[in-house]
Amino acid sequence: MKHSCIHWFRKGLRLHDNPALLAAMKDCSELYPIFILDPWFPKNMQVSVNRWRFLVESLKDLDESLKKLNSRLFVVRGHPAEVFPGLFKAWKVTRLTFEVDTEPYSKQRDAEVVRLAAAHGVQVIQKVSHTLYDTDRVIAENNGKVPLTYRQLQAVLAGLGPPKQPVLAPTLETLKDCCTPGRDNRDPKYEIPTLEELGQDPKEAGPCLYPGGESEALSRLAFHMKRMTWVCNFKKPDTEPNTLSPSTTVLSPYVKFGCLSVRTFWWKLAEIYRGKKHSSPPVSLHGQLLWREFFYTAGAGIPNFNRMEGNPICVQVDWDDNPEYVKAWKEGRTGYPFIDAIMTQLRTEGWIHHLARHAVACFLTRGDLWVSWEEGQKVFEELLLDADWSLNAGNWQWLSASAFFHQFFRVYSPVAFGKKTDKSGAYIKKYLPILRKFPAEYIYEPWKAPRSMQEQAGCIIGRDYPKPIVEHEALSKRNIMRMKAAYAQRSHSKAAQVEKESTKKGGKRKLPAGPSVVELLTKKPKAKSS
Amino acid sequence: MGWMFRHQKSAGVRQELPHSLERPAVLENFPKALWNEVFHIPDLWRKFEFELTQPATSYLKSTHPDLIQQIIKRHANHLQYVSFKVDSSTESAEAACDILSQLVNCSIKTLGLISTAKPSFMNVCKTHFASALTVVFINSKSLSSIKIDDTPVDDPSLKVLVANNSDTLKLLKMSSCPHVSPAGILCVADQCHGLRELALNYYILSDELLLALSSEKHVNLEHLRIDVVSENPGQVEFHTIKKQSWDALVKHSPKVNIVMYFFLYEEEFDAFFREETPVTHLYFGRAVSKAMLGRIGMNCPRLIELVVCANGLQPLDDELICIAERCKNLTAMGLGECEVTCRGFIEFVKMCGGRLTQLSIMEEVLIPDNDYNLDQIHSEVSKHLGRMWFPDMMPTW
């Protein structure tokens, strides 16, 4: 039987190593590669113009690659559950293929689509290729539990053997019996959107340092893989957060969108490692892919993974409600040049080094501002090109010592940390040109510079550049106490957990001093959970 | 003005009470007179947190000045649990002092002065601050809990506190109050026999103070927190406390928690732990010398918790084993930037066994040796602890 087949690109924006796409092409007479512009995403999360641009570039690249195979990409606008029935009918679809996505919204969306497909007599084929392994299988191998440490994950994966080999990209030969109707008379309603259509102003976008798309991904991969000594010696913690151009591969945005297959990346590295001495996980490049695997597995298996409330592994902390602090941090106005430079790079370029992420995350949460990691998660989700639901949630919990990590007494200093790898503050001067004329002695702490020096530098602290928003030395000490209290609560409340289940919002809450008459008149407000 | 909620904290938990000066729209049909009556019920005003910020520069919300006036005018005598949260500006701290000086007819039980960003109370003129604080000390007469860390409180103010509240004072937190002398705090300990919790800096800790806290009339002390801080290396010479003074304290209050937070440079530890010291919780915020850790093992038998942020590049095996051997009450340990061999670490854990309910060590701290490598660490340690355990790491994606 010859199929009329839709291949649905969501992540996995590539032709290489795409088993679901190959499954679409098998015994297929009509092939419809689609991407759905789902309004759920702009409604439920912030997306920066930089990342929209990356997506548009990736879709264009995909379309170009499909054109070379006498096909094309159809970009369909609307909710998947609403657009599919129409497409199934119009194109007389008998098969639907897509790559597995383990995020909560995706699971729910895909379950609905599978139901619709069944109702329309459409066969559905799903393939795992966004992660190295099938996350469900990994959890099953670990007795139904999510591995909560990297080492634990490694132990489980050792039992599963190496990841599957990547499959080849389709060729004209693969598609010789297949065509894509409408590929020549391109219906404008399926065209790739412009940034304007997406409500974005292209003038607001930052410099295009990382163009989107599979072609770009593969050429960047090839470039880095030529540096074989570098690859073999690679140790991530030794790479520097504040170099003037990135000290790492910056392949993360391409992996996030699936422009680059993680299995292709894995096996390319394996090829280079063969027969040579090389670094090992967790610090090697292989190790980085396993970190991604770790967070994807956790995200797939832990309920409410992107929130504090209802998240079984997350310490419940009395973070402060401080929208002004969040704004200052997001906009790079904390008065700490190292923090502000990082946030400026993030906002304009869409990528920052992992140690830079650590520094600003610690500053926002347990280190200085005592704001919930969920606020930071939202900002990173908006501004990062490689914003990935599982990795973002996991890393924010890690850095705020809410889960996975318990050394809350070790805090990154917003002054000392950057100095270790960039004494002259060249990174700060690049992203905060207003501070360009400060000497190295004061570039990390410009408020300490004498007034005359500030005048000479053409930048008065408090007027041209903000004063520090908090005093790090004093506040980090106090925050350590607060974190300690949260941890202590956790051990006490583990016993009270059962009691908490029955009372509505009980357990940890003490009764107010004296009765509150107004509480009888008005409803009790819901506890905050962003 | 609309419906303005102020958020209040009760033991770290949010409470929302309406503090609008006008009847809120949602209660439109509620008779205005009745609303006013309800709004001013004394019980609603027992607890208040004044938030004082400068709108031009601050990131925090501020309590409305009209509301502040209303409270002073009509509810000062209802207030029992009061705190002031100020931002980094001196003006806000001064505003807090102004309010304090007007709380004349009140019976405040707990008072807290909180600097959210910087110790802004320290920039207020000392006499202004002292006179404001003493208004509350004199008028309240039943203060039981006072938190005045990072303020310019001085000896005369403490004398006033003691003169009026000696029967009721239970908790006093005054870390980083540089104008208080050992004599000043001694006066508090001498007179306030109900004092159960005290937080102060090391330089005002004296033998006399410990003896005063151990006098027959004094209740059992529950919690003593001592901050040992140095801004510049070698700046301060630290005095020693006699063993007899510590002994007296523990004899009088056998269950007391003695918590010491050290923020010193490595060369400044000489004065500490040369004799047996009954400290229970030790925290080293900067580096700590190997020799110091060795003395802790020898002289801190009551130790329950030890946290070391950083040490140096020599392995701490011997020091840890001594601690395991002699600190039989140790249940929590955290090691930051240090070095320990795998063999030494496993020996330590073996000796402590399951009593270590909290054990946190960065993976990079552990040095593989001939006996064990990193892969074996987790299974060996888990075996001795009787539960699944892994070292801490930082993710690098």
Side-chain angles (χ1 to χ4, degrees):
Chain A
M1 180 204 165
K2 285 290 189 177
H3 283 276
S4 169
C5 201
I6 290 179
H7 175 74
W8 181 17
F9 286 101
R10 308 95 65 82
K11 298 178 185 173
L13 303 180
R14 63 178 184 272
L15 299 186
H16 72 277
D17 187 35
N18 198 332
L21 179 63
L22 289 186
M25 292 171 176
K26 198 160 178 253
D27 302 320
C28 174
S29 59
E30 279 168 19
L31 175 71
Y32 297 91
I34 71 170
F35 179 88
I36 301 180
L37 263 183
D38 183 346
W40 186 91
F41 287 100
K43 188 162 176 233
N44 289 278
M45 53 172 69
Q46 297 283 80
V47 182
S48 68
V49 59
N50 290 338
R51 194 157 80 249
W52 278 124
R53 179 176 61 184
F54 193 99
L55 174 63
V56 167
E57 287 162 349
S58 304
L59 295 177
K60 280 198 184 122
D61 185 69
L62 200 52
D63 187 41
E64 288 302 312
S65 305
L66 286 166
K67 274 193 205 157
K68 293 194 183 109
L69 298 178
N70 293 327
S71 182
R72 67 158 292 183
L73 181 68
F74 296 86
V75 178
V76 187
R77 284 101 168 125
H79 291 285
E82 284 164 22
V83 306
F84 270 118
L87 295 177
F88 289 155
K89 289 202 189 82
W91 294 338
K92 300 194 180 53
V93 175
T94 54
R95 180 193 278 163
L96 168 66
T97 63
F98 54 84
E99 180 187 71
V100 167
D101 187 352
T102 52
E103 289 170 19
Y105 167 68
S106 311
K107 281 194 201 164
Q108 173 203 323
R109 168 199 66 193
D110 294 348
E112 217 184 321
V113 167
V114 165
R115 269 193 302 273
L116 275 172
H120 284 84
V122 173
Q123 178 199 32
V124 176
I125 299 178
Q126 301 184 45
K127 296 281 187 184
V128 171
S129 56
H130 188 64
T131 44
L132 292 169
Y133 297 85
D134 180 345
T135 50
D136 286 343
R137 174 96 193 277
V138 172
I139 295 171
E141 283 288 313
N142 196 39
N143 298 317
K145 292 200 287 269
V146 170
L148 290 179
T149 70
Y150 188 92
R151 295 294 180 196
Q152 233 176 347
L153 177 75
Q154 278 185 295
V156 175
L157 296 183
L160 291 175
K164 285 201 180 130
Q165 290 275 354
V167 299
L168 294 169
T171 58
L172 281 168
E173 180 65 25
T174 327
L175 286 166
K176 65 179 191 320
D177 296 323
C178 184
C179 76
T180 297
R183 73 171 167 91
D184 292 320
N185 299 327
R186 292 176 67 109
D187 187 338
K189 78 172 183 250
Y190 295 129
E191 276 309 321
I192 291 163
T194 58
L195 280 176
E196 287 83 349
E197 184 198 329
L198 297 167
Q200 303 299 313
D201 181 0
K203 289 197 289 295
E204 301 274 303
C208 189
L209 299 178
Y210 315 108
E214 178 184 13
S215 312
E216 187 70 33
L218 289 172
S219 88
R220 281 170 183 252
L221 178 70
F223 169 80
H224 287 295
M225 296 301 103
K226 278 207 198 77
R227 307 157 68 196
M228 292 200 261
T229 316
W230 182 80
V231 166
C232 287
N233 292 336
F234 187 90
K235 285 192 181 144
K236 194 87 183 318
D238 293 348
T239 57
E240 293 176 356
N242 43 7
T243 47
L244 294 177
S245 61
S247 53
T248 56
T249 65
V250 196
L251 285 170
S252 54
Y254 301 94
V255 175
K256 172 239 162 31
F257 279 99
C259 301
L260 173 61
S261 150
V262 71
R263 286 172 184 168
T264 299
F265 194 176
W266 177 275
W267 284 103
K268 192 76 196 135
L269 289 168
E271 205 182 292
I272 293 175
Y273 288 155
R274 202 172 306 132
K276 297 192 203 74
K277 208 167 154 223
H278 61 87
S279 54
S280 296
V283 300
S284 62
L285 280 169
H286 257 188
Q288 303 324 296
L289 298 181
L290 290 180
W291 273 115
R292 177 177 178 275
E293 203 72 9
F294 174 81
F295 288 119
Y296 257 92
T297 311
I302 292 169
N304 300 306
F305 190 58
N306 66 334
R307 304 211 301 265
M308 178 175 81
E309 201 165 312
N311 179 342
I313 64 163
C314 186
V315 178
Q316 306 293 306
V317 178
D318 65 333
W319 304 111
D320 286 335
D321 179 23
N322 230 321
E324 292 297 333
Y325 270 4
V326 180
K327 221 162 164 281
W329 175 81
K330 178 180 176 180
E331 293 168 11
R333 292 184 287 109
T334 66
Y336 283 91
F338 182 57
I339 303 295
D340 292 340
I342 292 170
M343 295 307 287
T344 303
Q345 185 188 16
L346 173 60
R347 194 179 63 253
T348 53
E349 297 177 8
W351 178 91
I352 47 178
H353 188 273
H354 82 273
L355 288 174
R357 299 183 199 200
H358 288 191
V360 299
C362 186
F363 188 88
L364 179 72
T365 58
R366 64 190 174 87
D368 296 73
L369 301 184
W370 202 257
V371 168
S372 167
W373 59 269
E374 294 179 57
E375 293 298 330
Q377 182 184 224
K378 274 189 223 148
V379 172
F380 271 26
E381 182 179 76
E382 180 184 347
L383 299 176
L384 281 171
L385 292 176
D386 62 28
D388 194 314
W389 189 89
S390 312
L391 275 72
N392 202 13
N395 273 295
W396 272 99
Q397 285 171 75
W398 200 300
L399 262 306
S400 60
S402 298
F404 307 117
F405 175 74
H406 310 97
Q407 291 219 350
F408 57 83
F409 46 89
R410 287 179 79 209
V411 164
Y412 292 87
S413 163
V415 169
F417 185 61
K419 273 193 206 175
K420 287 199 273 197
T421 43
D422 175 25
K423 278 198 171 60
S424 70
Y427 174 84
I428 291 175
K429 293 178 183 186
K430 175 176 175 182
Y431 292 102
L432 300 176
I434 189 79
L435 295 175
R436 204 178 279 145
K437 297 216 182 91
F438 275 85
E441 193 189 346
Y442 293 109
I443 188 72
Y444 285 89
E445 304 169 279
W447 61 89
K448 287 194 174 163
R451 176 83 184 196
S452 54
M453 180 174 296
Q454 294 182 26
E455 276 164 8
Q456 235 184 343
C459 175
I460 304 299
I461 303 304
R463 187 189 74 193
D464 306 309
Y465 178 75
K467 288 201 190 133
I469 188 175
V470 296
E471 193 181 285
H472 171 75
E473 283 297 320
L475 228 58
S476 55
K477 289 189 186 105
R478 170 151 7 113
N479 289 344
I480 285 165
M481 303 311 145
R482 287 180 87 168
M483 206 71 200
K484 218 169 182 289
Y487 269 68
Q489 278 264 356
R490 185 168 163 84
S491 1
H492 291 316
S493 74
K494 266 188 180 147
Q497 200 84 340
V498 175
E499 205 194 347
K500 215 171 161 196
E501 240 65 86
S502 45
T503 58
K504 195 156 186 224
K505 304 254 184 245
K508 290 178 275 187
R509 287 168 192 264
K510 264 197 196 163
L511 289 172
S516 171
V517 173
V518 180
E519 282 172 321
L520 297 173
L521 295 173
T522 58
K523 273 206 204 132
K524 249 193 156 66
K526 255 182 106 163
K528 283 209 188 302
S529 65
S530 0
Chain B
M1 191 172 317
W3 187 236
M4 258 167 34
F5 279 104
R6 295 310 319 155
H7 292 189
Q8 299 191 352
K9 282 198 206 273
S10 171
V13 158
R14 288 190 189 282
Q15 283 252 302
E16 284 181 337
L17 290 175
H19 283 143
S20 169
L21 301 183
E22 287 177 9
R23 186 183 41 169
V26 75
L27 292 178
E28 241 167 38
N29 299 321
F30 209 76
K32 191 166 182 173
L34 184 55
W35 168 253
N36 282 334
E37 200 182 301
V38 166
F39 187 72
H40 289 291
I41 288 175
D43 280 342
L44 290 181
W45 300 97
R46 299 248 175 268
K47 188 175 189 308
F48 198 82
E49 180 164 82
F50 293 92
E51 294 187 54
L52 301 161
T53 68
Q54 301 308 300
T57 51
S58 176
Y59 301 93
L60 302 173
K61 298 172 282 235
S62 207
T63 309
H64 198 283
D66 291 349
L67 178 57
I68 295 176
Q69 284 317 304
Q70 280 259 330
I71 291 173
I72 294 172
K73 213 166 67 175
R74 294 182 68 159
H75 297 293
N77 54 333
H78 302 143
L79 290 172
Q80 289 180 350
Y81 310 93
V82 182
S83 53
F84 291 83
K85 225 166 144 181
V86 306
D87 66 1
S88 57
S89 69
T90 314
E91 290 86 351
S92 305
E94 280 166 357
C97 294
D98 286 336
I99 298 170
L100 277 170
S101 0
Q102 295 179 72
L103 296 180
V104 181
N105 296 320
C106 55
S107 50
I108 294 175
K109 293 194 173 117
T110 79
L111 174 66
L113 301 182
I114 305 163
S115 317
T116 57
K118 286 186 185 109
S120 14
F121 283 104
M122 293 308 298
N123 298 328
V124 174
C125 154
K126 194 157 85 77
T127 36
H128 182 195
F129 179 82
S131 77
L133 201 58
T134 50
V135 167
V136 176
F137 286 171
I138 290 171
N139 285 278
S140 287
K141 297 205 193 311
S142 56
L143 283 163
S144 91
S145 160
I146 302 174
K147 294 182 188 172
I148 43 177
D149 309 90
D150 294 301
T151 63
V153 63
D154 56 11
D155 288 0
S157 316
L158 289 180
K159 269 213 174 80
V160 174
L161 169 68
V162 165
N164 292 279
N165 300 277
S166 57
D167 292 338
T168 50
L169 191 65
K170 295 199 177 77
L171 181 150
L172 177 60
K173 295 206 165 156
M174 34 170 277
S175 303
S176 307
C177 296
H179 300 301
V180 175
S181 76
I185 189 65
L186 183 58
C187 173
V188 176
D190 267 336
Q191 307 289 327
C192 302
H193 299 138
L195 192 65
R196 294 190 193 147
E197 285 191 49
L198 179 61
L200 41 63
N201 284 54
Y202 188 78
Y203 76 90
I204 56 173
L205 185 70
S206 61
D207 295 298
E208 293 79 8
L209 180 66
L210 293 180
L211 293 172
L213 291 169
S214 317
S215 77
E216 225 181 281
K217 286 180 279 183
H218 215 283
V219 302
N220 291 352
L221 193 67
E222 287 169 15
H223 195 93
L224 176 63
R225 177 184 150 170
I226 306 160
D227 284 10
V228 192
V229 183
S230 157
E231 300 299 327
N232 295 303
Q235 194 183 41
V236 184
E237 267 232 35
F238 293 99
H239 62 286
T240 45
I241 299 289
K242 296 197 184 82
K243 184 174 180 302
Q244 299 96 287
S245 315
W246 286 120
D247 289 346
L249 181 69
V250 175
K251 185 153 180 243
H252 182 77
S253 308
K255 295 208 178 93
V256 64
N257 280 331
I258 301 173
V259 181
M260 292 184 78
Y261 280 80
F262 284 88
F263 294 94
L264 299 184
Y265 297 91
E266 260 197 70
E267 60 266 33
E268 297 180 299
F269 285 102
D270 283 347
F272 299 98
F273 305 135
R274 294 213 166 267
E275 291 181 297
E276 195 172 292
T277 314
V279 62
T280 53
H281 297 73
L282 266 180
Y283 175 90
F284 293 97
R286 288 194 203 120
V288 58
S289 66
K290 201 159 132 75
M292 173 73 156
L293 288 172
R295 293 201 299 278
I296 288 167
M298 298 301 289
N299 293 323
C300 301
R302 289 178 90 233
L303 193 65
I304 295 172
E305 182 176 296
L306 174 63
V307 171
V308 176
C309 280
N311 175 257
L313 292 173
Q314 295 165 289
L316 297 175
D317 294 18
D318 295 337
E319 288 74 15
L320 284 184
I321 287 169
C322 180
I323 288 171
E325 219 163 43
R326 297 174 63 113
C327 302
K328 293 286 185 213
N329 297 310
L330 188 74
T331 57
M333 162 88 102
L335 290 176
E337 293 172 35
C338 311
E339 291 221 337
V340 184
T341 67
C342 289
R343 186 195 53 77
F345 185 65
I346 289 171
E347 187 62 33
F348 167 77
V349 175
K350 199 163 153 190
M351 292 170 78
C352 293
R355 65 180 155 97
L356 270 184
T357 54
Q358 288 179 72
L359 179 62
S360 168
I361 182 169
M362 295 298 286
E363 194 186 75
E364 69 222 33
V365 163
L366 294 165
I367 310 167
D369 52 46
N370 292 328
D371 299 318
Y372 297 100
N373 63 31
L374 289 176
D375 291 326
Q376 293 162 306
I377 274 275
H378 119 78
S379 55
E380 279 299 310
V381 171
S382 302
K383 188 172 81 192
H384 294 305
L385 290 180
R387 63 178 191 272
M388 188 74 102
W389 178 92
F390 286 89
D392 277 308
M393 331 162 85
M394 291 310 282
T396 52
W397 176 275

